[in-house]
Amino acid sequence: MHENRKHRGILLYEWLLEQAKKSGILGGSAFRAIAGFGRHGVLHEQHFFELAGDLTVEVEFLLTESQAGALFEKLEEERVRVVYASTPAEFGMTQGDDK
């Protein structure tokens, strides 16, 4: 999504992260692109004094199938249209010191 896209008055990536948090998903991240192009083939990249909001933000979650289903249901309910990619992944945590 573009970084300036909003839903219900807040940035869409912030709204997505908040919805995920509320639904019990344990973590999510938003990543801002430095350059890219979309389906229209227009290259977007940031220069020092350009207007903000033209670049892409990727929001990523590691979640179970049921958590993904619930998040997709919320997107449908709110009529939010986003491009997504889904791939099976194994995730866990190693033992170690939290510092």
Side-chain angles (χ1 to χ4, degrees), residues 29-75:
S29 299
F31 302 94
R32 187 172 180 267
I34 59 171
F37 69 93
R39 67 180 182 259
H40 300 294
V42 177
L43 182 64
H44 300 273
E45 56 188 324
Q46 183 176 4
H47 298 286
F48 191 67
F49 284 111
E50 283 191 354
L51 296 174
D54 201 28
L55 290 172
T56 302
V57 171
E58 174 185 332
V59 180
E60 185 174 287
F61 303 103
L62 292 177
L63 34 72
T64 65
E65 280 188 46
S66 63
Q67 289 172 320
L71 190 55
F72 283 128
E73 284 178 18
K74 183 67 174 175
L75 292 170

Side-chain angles (χ1 to χ4, degrees), residues 6-8 29 33 47 56 63 76 78 87 91 93-94:
K6 292 187 177 185
H7 181 69
R8 297 192 176 269
S29 299
H47 298 286
T56 302
L63 34 72
E76 280 283 321
E78 294 282 331
T87 185
F91 56 94
M93 186 176 295
T94 62

